[in-house]
Amino acid sequence: MYKFVQLFCLFWLFLLTVHALAAGLQDTTTTTTTGIVVARSHAVTVGFLPVQRFHHLQARDQAAGSSCSSEGQWNCMTNSWQRCAAGRWSTTMQCAKGTTCAPAGLTNEFRIQHDGSVNGNGGPPTTSVAASLGTRTWVSKVGTGFLVLGWWFLRIKFAIHSKESSLGLPSVDVVFYCFRKARSGMHLRIVFVVVASAQLAAALWPVPKHLSTGQTILEIGTALKITYNGGSLAWNGQAVDSQNLNDTNIVQGGIARAYNAIIESGFVPYMLNPPGSDFEPSRAQIQGQIKVLVISNVRKNNSESYSLHVDGSNAVINAESTIAVLRALETFTQLFNQHSSGSYWYTTLAPVAIEDSPTFPHRGLIFDVSRERYSVDDVKHTIDALAMAKLNKLHLSVTNTQSWQVEIPSFPELTEKGTFYSGQYYSVDDLHDLYTYAVSRGVEIVMGIDMPGHSNIQHIYPDLGVAYMAHPWNTYCSEPPCGSYRLNNTGVDRFLEKLFEDLLPRIAPYASHFHTGGDEYNANNCALDPDIRSGEMSVVQPLMQKFVQNVHKIIRKRGLTPVVWEETINVWNVTLPKDTLVQSWRGGATPSLAKAGYKVIDSSSSYYYLNCGRGAFVDYQDGSSLQNAYPFTDWCAPAKNWRVVYMHTPTDGVDARHAQNVVGGEVAIFSETVDAASLDVILWPRAAAAGEIWWSGRKDENGTDRSVWHARPRLSEMRHRMLARGVKGATVTHTWCEQHALEECTSGYSG
């Protein structure tokens, strides 16, 4: 693509030179320039090629109100711009030498710079070129042509090897050369050149559905005035009590986090710019200050849709719910950088216009807190990171055969005997704290208690379980230690009913779903049950149907919708209501489950298991078992590079008629080889890569798959912004590649 763009631009520049030569041979009278006009706007796409929306050059103004079909015109004679709006010409706007024209109604996509500097795009000031274009003879015209050719070649070289638009489409400069011929009067002589620009557009993650930005530099400070549905809120980073969950407090908390992200954390993007480059605007270049943020919430159910506009001294958020306000505020934080002096904060992207909403309603993380101990603060930290990436579900798996991590006052033995160490569990108060903390950040905790398998219940209450620590373990379970609930046991039924009557009323006000597990149950467990003594599927299946129905009846009684793993349907053939959420993980089951009418969460281990590729966690005795296990990979290797995550979408392979049954996806962290010390590096920013596809969709507005290549610089920036806020995610490439052009670290690029 680089060579194509370069050759295309050079072709036009060659024509420019030939045109100058031809003009000189035909007419040797005095010719001088009236200046150079740089018209800058964002690109649109035709197929795979970004091209400029066409703008005309004219020698006369058009009558205001008369019909038009182009977007606008530049008058070389009057140095004025005239916009074509709604099929009618507007009045003209003068553009004096050395100034920038930004007519009202036009600033979102176009501005004109007459004889002004374009140093920010890598070339010399246009004034120097304009002076060089003052010519007297055809010989100097030829020289002028080659001068322009050489300059633009260097400019192209710089631009192509520079940071691109974060949307995958570079911005575009259109340069008009207006000449005056003494004998013939003033008119257009040389037309235009198109070149990819180095100007960086908005590096937002996830990318909004509809985005328009400009190049005006605006400051934001500590004295921002904020109104929320007409009332005043503080822009001062104050803490908000998450226990009082009215919508005003939730929004105030979001504002406090936005303040901290912009002002306190203060992201300085030096690592995303070439060493020694002048990437920051000086105070003299700031063109205005954002003084007011107006937030409106129409409280429309749980919609996450919002709009965000930043222009002049105002920023405006219109949101359809309180959660949508939080999503808008996260986007708002990504518009701003801190100057390296620490004395001011700015955006270079005004005016900004965003219309945004998620593609999938369910965007989450499976967080296994039962195989390793994670503190309340660890979980809160992860909730904060989820909110930064606009993820909205935290599937918190609190029990397994390794430990029982949640306090149930009716059964104190669960945490007395079932934890790794005395006192290491989530108390009643801890749970309330976590649920309210999550809700205040637009995240729902979906608690998971695995059953009938993956349970240490026999270790705690011997009469309720079987197969705990049975050997050989691979006969009874997928990993040690084994253990499960007994099926067809009235004692188990009474225990679960009492357990849920204790637990669910405390979490139901803050959640809409509860996960009952159902994965990897081995029928051989029933062969160890003295009341069953059979592992035959024909015997076990009806017992499984009864067990799941009983549990789900209790959960639905409390107003919660059950979630199960795919084996409940695909292996055990349990019949469930079609509103049950079914989580697919083994790969390939999502299309059939969606076709069957179930609501499906895609967690394919081939794409979304982020703990994979870290090697085996089980031990091997010296000898043949050790040799046979070499090189000790885990079952789901290799590791899932962020590109693997990004290139998958939950509806892959799903017929269009059934795609609406796929509600979204969850990435997974299972903690066999992960703990609190390594969590961030393994989870982030790969979870954010999935989050963009779930929020923005795999395809852009033009129906084209989002470019993985162009996503990398934006993901790098997202990772650095999260780092500034305390989330220590892994790097996606090294700093040199982040600071230089995308092509320089691109496989197969030949220069």
Side-chain angles (χ1 to χ4, degrees), residues 217 281-287 344:
I217 303 171
S282 67
R283 273 202 176 275
Q285 292 175 294
I286 292 176
Q287 296 162 275
Y344 57 96

Side-chain angles (χ1 to χ4, degrees), residues 329-394:
L329 288 169
E330 285 295 338
T331 302
F332 186 68
T333 67
Q334 294 183 27
L335 297 174
F336 297 96
N337 299 324
Q338 178 181 277
H339 192 272
S340 57
S341 67
S343 59
Y344 57 96
W345 301 264
Y346 64 91
T347 179
T348 60
L349 301 170
V352 178
I354 292 172
E355 301 286 337
D356 205 9
S357 61
T359 298
F360 293 100
H362 191 112
R363 309 176 306 280
L365 163 68
I366 308 163
F367 190 11
D368 169 19
V369 297
S370 58
R371 289 183 176 90
E372 281 291 343
R373 169 63 181 165
Y374 295 89
S375 69
V376 170
D377 285 343
D378 293 332
V379 180
K380 285 183 174 181
H381 174 81
T382 300
I383 291 169
D384 284 332
L386 291 172
M388 293 178 202
K390 295 187 176 69
L391 300 177
N392 66 345
K393 307 290 181 182
L394 177 60

Side-chain angles (χ1 to χ4, degrees), residues 29 209 244 592:
T29 57
K209 289 288 185 64
N244 187 2
S592 61

Side-chain angles (χ1 to χ4, degrees), residues 675-706:
D675 63 9
S678 58
L679 177 63
D680 274 3
V681 169
I682 296 169
L683 179 55
W684 304 106
R686 290 186 295 165
E692 172 153 294
I693 299 304
W694 299 337
W695 180 277
S696 310
R698 184 69 184 93
K699 296 185 181 298
D700 61 23
E701 292 181 77
N702 302 305
T704 304
D705 282 351
R706 297 190 185 279

Side-chain angles (χ1 to χ4, degrees), residues 300-323:
K300 183 180 178 181
N301 299 321
N302 292 318
S303 168
E304 295 178 86
S305 300
Y306 70 90
S307 66
L308 169 62
H309 293 82
V310 179
D311 194 1
S313 61
N314 295 325
V316 178
I317 291 172
N318 290 304
E320 294 191 355
S321 70
T322 304
I323 294 175

